[in-house]
mmCIF file of all heavy atoms in Angstrom:
data_model
loop_
_atom_site.group_PDB
_atom_site.id
_atom_site.type_symbol
_atom_site.label_atom_id
_atom_site.label_comp_id
_atom_site.label_asym_id
_atom_site.label_seq_id
_atom_site.Cartn_x
_atom_site.Cartn_y
_atom_site.Cartn_z
ATOM 1 N N PRO B 460 100.948 78.684 83.493
ATOM 2 C CA PRO B 460 102.388 78.521 83.671
ATOM 3 C C PRO B 460 103.169 79.351 82.647
ATOM 4 O O PRO B 460 102.740 79.539 81.511
ATOM 5 C CB PRO B 460 102.612 77.022 83.424
ATOM 6 C CG PRO B 460 101.276 76.390 83.584
ATOM 7 C CD PRO B 460 100.274 77.409 83.150
ATOM 8 N N VAL B 461 104.303 79.874 83.097
ATOM 9 C CA VAL B 461 105.229 80.556 82.190
ATOM 10 C C VAL B 461 106.061 79.483 81.506
ATOM 11 O O VAL B 461 106.670 78.640 82.171
ATOM 12 C CB VAL B 461 106.144 81.531 82.958
ATOM 13 C CG1 VAL B 461 107.185 82.142 82.027
ATOM 14 C CG2 VAL B 461 105.311 82.625 83.615
ATOM 15 N N ARG B 462 106.060 79.508 80.202
ATOM 16 C CA ARG B 462 106.739 78.456 79.446
ATOM 17 C C ARG B 462 108.220 78.380 79.817
ATOM 18 O O ARG B 462 108.954 79.339 79.690
ATOM 19 C CB ARG B 462 106.581 78.704 77.950
ATOM 20 C CG ARG B 462 107.170 77.604 77.067
ATOM 21 C CD ARG B 462 106.888 77.870 75.602
ATOM 22 N NE ARG B 462 105.438 77.933 75.348
ATOM 23 C CZ ARG B 462 104.919 78.227 74.163
ATOM 24 N NH1 ARG B 462 105.735 78.504 73.138
ATOM 25 N NH2 ARG B 462 103.616 78.262 74.008
ATOM 26 N N GLY B 463 108.608 77.227 80.329
ATOM 27 C CA GLY B 463 110.005 76.967 80.637
ATOM 28 C C GLY B 463 110.536 77.729 81.824
ATOM 29 O O GLY B 463 111.732 77.685 82.101
ATOM 30 N N GLY B 464 109.642 78.423 82.576
ATOM 31 C CA GLY B 464 110.156 79.263 83.655
ATOM 32 C C GLY B 464 109.870 78.787 85.055
ATOM 33 O O GLY B 464 110.416 79.329 86.015
ATOM 34 N N GLY B 465 108.981 77.803 85.219
ATOM 35 C CA GLY B 465 108.658 77.332 86.557
ATOM 36 C C GLY B 465 107.910 78.356 87.383
ATOM 37 O O GLY B 465 107.913 78.280 88.613
ATOM 38 N N ARG B 466 107.289 79.313 86.713
ATOM 39 C CA ARG B 466 106.508 80.340 87.424
ATOM 40 C C ARG B 466 105.126 80.424 86.795
ATOM 41 O O ARG B 466 104.816 79.730 85.827
ATOM 42 C CB ARG B 466 107.214 81.696 87.352
ATOM 43 C CG ARG B 466 108.598 81.698 88.006
ATOM 44 C CD ARG B 466 109.186 83.095 88.041
ATOM 45 N NE ARG B 466 109.359 83.680 86.714
ATOM 46 C CZ ARG B 466 110.398 83.470 85.917
ATOM 47 N NH1 ARG B 466 111.372 82.674 86.329
ATOM 48 N NH2 ARG B 466 110.490 84.062 84.737
ATOM 49 N N LEU B 467 104.292 81.296 87.354
ATOM 50 C CA LEU B 467 102.931 81.467 86.874
ATOM 51 C C LEU B 467 102.722 82.894 86.395
ATOM 52 O O LEU B 467 103.219 83.842 87.019
ATOM 53 C CB LEU B 467 101.914 81.156 87.978
ATOM 54 C CG LEU B 467 101.907 79.713 88.487
ATOM 55 C CD1 LEU B 467 101.053 79.603 89.743
ATOM 56 C CD2 LEU B 467 101.393 78.762 87.410
ATOM 57 N N ALA B 468 101.986 83.040 85.303
ATOM 58 C CA ALA B 468 101.655 84.361 84.780
ATOM 59 C C ALA B 468 100.167 84.609 85.003
ATOM 60 O O ALA B 468 99.332 83.805 84.583
ATOM 61 C CB ALA B 468 101.987 84.458 83.296
ATOM 62 N N ALA B 469 99.840 85.719 85.677
ATOM 63 C CA ALA B 469 98.452 86.108 85.905
ATOM 64 C C ALA B 469 98.119 87.277 84.991
ATOM 65 O O ALA B 469 98.772 88.329 85.045
ATOM 66 C CB ALA B 469 98.244 86.490 87.363
ATOM 67 N N ASP B 470 97.115 87.086 84.165
ATOM 68 C CA ASP B 470 96.616 88.164 83.320
ATOM 69 C C ASP B 470 95.509 88.873 84.084
ATOM 70 O O ASP B 470 94.490 88.257 84.428
ATOM 71 C CB ASP B 470 96.086 87.599 82.004
ATOM 72 C CG ASP B 470 95.408 88.672 81.165
ATOM 73 O OD1 ASP B 470 95.983 89.762 81.018
ATOM 74 O OD2 ASP B 470 94.279 88.428 80.683
ATOM 75 N N THR B 471 95.673 90.158 84.391
ATOM 76 C CA THR B 471 94.697 90.904 85.165
ATOM 77 C C THR B 471 94.145 92.054 84.330
ATOM 78 O O THR B 471 94.675 92.386 83.260
ATOM 79 C CB THR B 471 95.299 91.488 86.462
ATOM 80 O OG1 THR B 471 95.950 92.738 86.190
ATOM 81 C CG2 THR B 471 96.291 90.529 87.090
ATOM 82 N N SER B 472 93.095 92.680 84.839
ATOM 83 C CA SER B 472 92.492 93.822 84.140
ATOM 84 C C SER B 472 93.393 95.036 84.141
ATOM 85 O O SER B 472 93.121 96.015 83.432
ATOM 86 C CB SER B 472 91.163 94.180 84.818
ATOM 87 O OG SER B 472 91.354 94.482 86.197
ATOM 88 N N ARG B 473 94.506 94.987 84.867
ATOM 89 C CA ARG B 473 95.422 96.121 84.928
ATOM 90 C C ARG B 473 96.841 95.745 84.525
ATOM 91 O O ARG B 473 97.770 96.524 84.744
ATOM 92 C CB ARG B 473 95.429 96.719 86.345
ATOM 93 C CG ARG B 473 94.082 97.294 86.765
ATOM 94 C CD ARG B 473 94.100 97.793 88.202
ATOM 95 N NE ARG B 473 95.146 98.774 88.414
ATOM 96 C CZ ARG B 473 95.933 98.809 89.502
ATOM 97 N NH1 ARG B 473 95.803 97.896 90.456
ATOM 98 N NH2 ARG B 473 96.843 99.737 89.635
ATOM 99 N N GLY B 474 96.997 94.569 83.954
ATOM 100 C CA GLY B 474 98.329 94.189 83.510
ATOM 101 C C GLY B 474 98.696 92.778 83.917
ATOM 102 O O GLY B 474 97.912 92.055 84.531
ATOM 103 N N ARG B 475 99.923 92.398 83.574
ATOM 104 C CA ARG B 475 100.405 91.046 83.798
ATOM 105 C C ARG B 475 101.304 90.999 85.019
ATOM 106 O O ARG B 475 102.123 91.892 85.252
ATOM 107 C CB ARG B 475 101.185 90.582 82.567
ATOM 108 C CG ARG B 475 101.581 89.110 82.518
ATOM 109 C CD ARG B 475 102.100 88.808 81.125
ATOM 110 N NE ARG B 475 102.392 87.392 80.924
ATOM 111 C CZ ARG B 475 103.618 86.894 80.813
ATOM 112 N NH1 ARG B 475 104.671 87.705 80.869
ATOM 113 N NH2 ARG B 475 103.800 85.607 80.612
ATOM 114 N N VAL B 476 101.148 89.927 85.812
ATOM 115 C CA VAL B 476 101.965 89.724 87.004
ATOM 116 C C VAL B 476 102.535 88.311 86.960
ATOM 117 O O VAL B 476 101.803 87.345 86.705
ATOM 118 C CB VAL B 476 101.148 89.905 88.302
ATOM 119 C CG1 VAL B 476 102.015 89.622 89.527
ATOM 120 C CG2 VAL B 476 100.559 91.304 88.382
ATOM 121 N N ILE B 477 103.841 88.189 87.213
ATOM 122 C CA ILE B 477 104.493 86.882 87.312
ATOM 123 C C ILE B 477 104.633 86.541 88.787
ATOM 124 O O ILE B 477 105.079 87.365 89.590
ATOM 125 C CB ILE B 477 105.880 86.897 86.649
ATOM 126 C CG1 ILE B 477 105.772 87.332 85.184
ATOM 127 C CG2 ILE B 477 106.532 85.511 86.747
ATOM 128 C CD1 ILE B 477 104.936 86.413 84.334
ATOM 129 N N ALA B 478 104.235 85.325 89.158
ATOM 130 C CA ALA B 478 104.285 84.904 90.562
ATOM 131 C C ALA B 478 104.937 83.533 90.683
ATOM 132 O O ALA B 478 104.828 82.698 89.772
ATOM 133 C CB ALA B 478 102.881 84.869 91.155
ATOM 134 N N ASP B 479 105.595 83.324 91.811
ATOM 135 C CA ASP B 479 106.150 82.007 92.090
ATOM 136 C C ASP B 479 105.052 81.037 92.534
ATOM 137 O O ASP B 479 105.158 79.827 92.316
ATOM 138 C CB ASP B 479 107.219 82.099 93.180
ATOM 139 C CG ASP B 479 108.418 82.928 92.744
ATOM 140 O OD1 ASP B 479 108.784 82.860 91.561
ATOM 141 O OD2 ASP B 479 108.973 83.662 93.595
ATOM 142 N N ALA B 480 104.030 81.566 93.192
ATOM 143 C CA ALA B 480 102.919 80.738 93.668
ATOM 144 C C ALA B 480 101.656 81.585 93.684
ATOM 145 O O ALA B 480 101.710 82.818 93.774
ATOM 146 C CB ALA B 480 103.207 80.190 95.064
ATOM 147 N N VAL B 481 100.516 80.919 93.599
ATOM 148 C CA VAL B 481 99.224 81.595 93.611
ATOM 149 C C VAL B 481 98.327 80.951 94.663
ATOM 150 O O VAL B 481 98.242 79.715 94.740
ATOM 151 C CB VAL B 481 98.534 81.535 92.230
ATOM 152 C CG1 VAL B 481 97.091 82.031 92.308
ATOM 153 C CG2 VAL B 481 99.310 82.350 91.214
ATOM 154 N N VAL B 482 97.674 81.784 95.472
ATOM 155 C CA VAL B 482 96.654 81.333 96.416
ATOM 156 C C VAL B 482 95.305 81.804 95.877
ATOM 157 O O VAL B 482 95.072 83.003 95.733
ATOM 158 C CB VAL B 482 96.890 81.893 97.830
ATOM 159 C CG1 VAL B 482 95.692 81.573 98.739
ATOM 160 C CG2 VAL B 482 98.172 81.330 98.431
ATOM 161 N N LEU B 483 94.434 80.861 95.582
ATOM 162 C CA LEU B 483 93.100 81.174 95.055
ATOM 163 C C LEU B 483 92.122 81.255 96.220
ATOM 164 O O LEU B 483 91.747 80.240 96.814
ATOM 165 C CB LEU B 483 92.675 80.109 94.050
ATOM 166 C CG LEU B 483 93.590 79.973 92.832
ATOM 167 C CD1 LEU B 483 93.252 78.712 92.043
ATOM 168 C CD2 LEU B 483 93.500 81.209 91.938
ATOM 169 N N ALA B 484 91.720 82.481 96.540
ATOM 170 C CA ALA B 484 90.785 82.733 97.637
ATOM 171 C C ALA B 484 89.587 83.483 97.080
ATOM 172 O O ALA B 484 89.121 84.461 97.661
ATOM 173 C CB ALA B 484 91.471 83.535 98.741
ATOM 174 N N CYS B 485 89.094 83.012 95.952
ATOM 175 C CA CYS B 485 88.125 83.772 95.158
ATOM 176 C C CYS B 485 86.764 83.107 95.088
ATOM 177 O O CYS B 485 86.096 83.114 94.050
ATOM 178 C CB CYS B 485 88.674 84.049 93.767
ATOM 179 S SG CYS B 485 89.434 82.623 92.953
ATOM 180 N N HIS B 486 86.389 82.425 96.219
ATOM 181 C CA HIS B 486 85.000 81.988 96.347
ATOM 182 C C HIS B 486 84.666 80.980 95.241
ATOM 183 O O HIS B 486 85.467 80.088 94.954
ATOM 184 C CB HIS B 486 84.108 83.234 96.299
ATOM 185 C CG HIS B 486 82.752 83.080 96.894
ATOM 186 N ND1 HIS B 486 81.602 83.191 96.140
ATOM 187 C CD2 HIS B 486 82.350 82.852 98.158
ATOM 188 C CE1 HIS B 486 80.547 83.047 96.920
ATOM 189 N NE2 HIS B 486 80.969 82.832 98.149
ATOM 190 N N LEU B 487 83.505 81.113 94.601
ATOM 191 C CA LEU B 487 83.114 80.168 93.561
ATOM 192 C C LEU B 487 84.012 80.231 92.331
ATOM 193 O O LEU B 487 84.086 79.271 91.555
ATOM 194 C CB LEU B 487 81.664 80.422 93.136
ATOM 195 C CG LEU B 487 80.595 80.137 94.196
ATOM 196 C CD1 LEU B 487 79.252 80.678 93.746
ATOM 197 C CD2 LEU B 487 80.497 78.652 94.500
ATOM 198 N N ASP B 488 84.714 81.352 92.164
ATOM 199 C CA ASP B 488 85.627 81.479 91.029
ATOM 200 C C ASP B 488 86.813 80.529 91.123
ATOM 201 O O ASP B 488 87.551 80.360 90.142
ATOM 202 C CB ASP B 488 86.131 82.921 90.907
ATOM 203 C CG ASP B 488 85.305 83.723 89.910
ATOM 204 O OD1 ASP B 488 84.358 83.157 89.338
ATOM 205 O OD2 ASP B 488 85.601 84.910 89.717
ATOM 206 N N ILE B 489 87.017 79.916 92.273
ATOM 207 C CA ILE B 489 88.064 78.899 92.364
ATOM 208 C C ILE B 489 87.863 77.844 91.278
ATOM 209 O O ILE B 489 88.811 77.378 90.647
ATOM 210 C CB ILE B 489 88.067 78.243 93.766
ATOM 211 C CG1 ILE B 489 88.618 79.231 94.808
ATOM 212 C CG2 ILE B 489 88.892 76.955 93.770
ATOM 213 C CD1 ILE B 489 88.515 78.724 96.235
ATOM 214 N N GLY B 490 86.603 77.489 91.024
ATOM 215 C CA GLY B 490 86.309 76.488 90.005
ATOM 216 C C GLY B 490 86.678 76.932 88.610
ATOM 217 O O GLY B 490 86.901 76.095 87.728
ATOM 218 N N ARG B 491 86.753 78.243 88.379
ATOM 219 C CA ARG B 491 87.169 78.745 87.067
ATOM 220 C C ARG B 491 88.666 78.514 86.857
ATOM 221 O O ARG B 491 89.113 78.241 85.740
ATOM 222 C CB ARG B 491 86.837 80.244 86.974
ATOM 223 C CG ARG B 491 87.184 80.875 85.643
ATOM 224 C CD ARG B 491 86.467 82.204 85.492
ATOM 225 N NE ARG B 491 86.825 83.164 86.516
ATOM 226 C CZ ARG B 491 87.882 83.981 86.443
ATOM 227 N NH1 ARG B 491 88.696 83.911 85.394
ATOM 228 N NH2 ARG B 491 88.132 84.850 87.400
ATOM 229 N N PHE B 492 89.434 78.616 87.921
ATOM 230 C CA PHE B 492 90.880 78.416 87.828
ATOM 231 C C PHE B 492 91.273 76.952 88.014
ATOM 232 O O PHE B 492 92.315 76.518 87.525
ATOM 233 C CB PHE B 492 91.588 79.275 88.867
ATOM 234 C CG PHE B 492 91.462 80.750 88.643
ATOM 235 C CD1 PHE B 492 90.563 81.501 89.374
ATOM 236 C CD2 PHE B 492 92.230 81.389 87.689
ATOM 237 C CE1 PHE B 492 90.440 82.876 89.176
ATOM 238 C CE2 PHE B 492 92.122 82.749 87.470
ATOM 239 C CZ PHE B 492 91.216 83.494 88.215
ATOM 240 N N VAL B 493 90.463 76.210 88.759
ATOM 241 C CA VAL B 493 90.720 74.783 88.996
ATOM 242 C C VAL B 493 89.451 74.038 88.593
ATOM 243 O O VAL B 493 88.575 73.781 89.424
ATOM 244 C CB VAL B 493 91.054 74.506 90.480
ATOM 245 C CG1 VAL B 493 91.464 73.039 90.666
ATOM 246 C CG2 VAL B 493 92.158 75.427 90.978
ATOM 247 N N PRO B 494 89.305 73.695 87.317
ATOM 248 C CA PRO B 494 88.046 73.132 86.822
ATOM 249 C C PRO B 494 87.555 71.909 87.578
ATOM 250 O O PRO B 494 86.348 71.711 87.727
ATOM 251 C CB PRO B 494 88.366 72.806 85.360
ATOM 252 C CG PRO B 494 89.440 73.779 84.989
ATOM 253 C CD PRO B 494 90.274 73.937 86.230
ATOM 254 N N SER B 495 88.459 71.080 88.067
ATOM 255 C CA SER B 495 88.009 69.870 88.756
ATOM 256 C C SER B 495 87.345 70.168 90.089
ATOM 257 O O SER B 495 86.687 69.303 90.664
ATOM 258 C CB SER B 495 89.179 68.915 88.967
ATOM 259 O OG SER B 495 90.106 69.449 89.864
ATOM 260 N N LEU B 496 87.505 71.387 90.610
ATOM 261 C CA LEU B 496 86.833 71.768 91.859
ATOM 262 C C LEU B 496 85.527 72.514 91.613
ATOM 263 O O LEU B 496 84.817 72.846 92.565
ATOM 264 C CB LEU B 496 87.757 72.632 92.718
ATOM 265 C CG LEU B 496 88.928 71.908 93.381
ATOM 266 C CD1 LEU B 496 89.798 72.902 94.154
ATOM 267 C CD2 LEU B 496 88.430 70.814 94.316
ATOM 268 N N ALA B 497 85.212 72.766 90.349
ATOM 269 C CA ALA B 497 83.990 73.526 90.047
ATOM 270 C C ALA B 497 82.755 72.824 90.589
ATOM 271 O O ALA B 497 81.847 73.461 91.135
ATOM 272 C CB ALA B 497 83.872 73.748 88.546
ATOM 273 N N GLY B 498 82.696 71.502 90.481
ATOM 274 C CA GLY B 498 81.533 70.775 90.973
ATOM 275 C C GLY B 498 81.503 70.614 92.469
ATOM 276 O O GLY B 498 80.453 70.314 93.050
ATOM 277 N N ALA B 499 82.649 70.808 93.128
ATOM 278 C CA ALA B 499 82.710 70.658 94.582
ATOM 279 C C ALA B 499 82.314 71.932 95.314
ATOM 280 O O ALA B 499 82.043 71.898 96.511
ATOM 281 C CB ALA B 499 84.116 70.232 95.009
#
Side-chain angles (χ1 to χ4, degrees):
V461 175
R462 184 176 300 176
R466 299 186 300 276
L467 296 169
D470 173 47
T471 84
S472 58
R473 297 176 56 222
R475 189 169 185 251
V476 177
I477 303 298
D479 296 324
V481 170
V482 172
L483 299 168
C485 46
H486 201 244
L487 293 169
D488 264 0
I489 288 174
R491 182 163 61 86
F492 294 101
V493 186
S495 67
L496 288 178

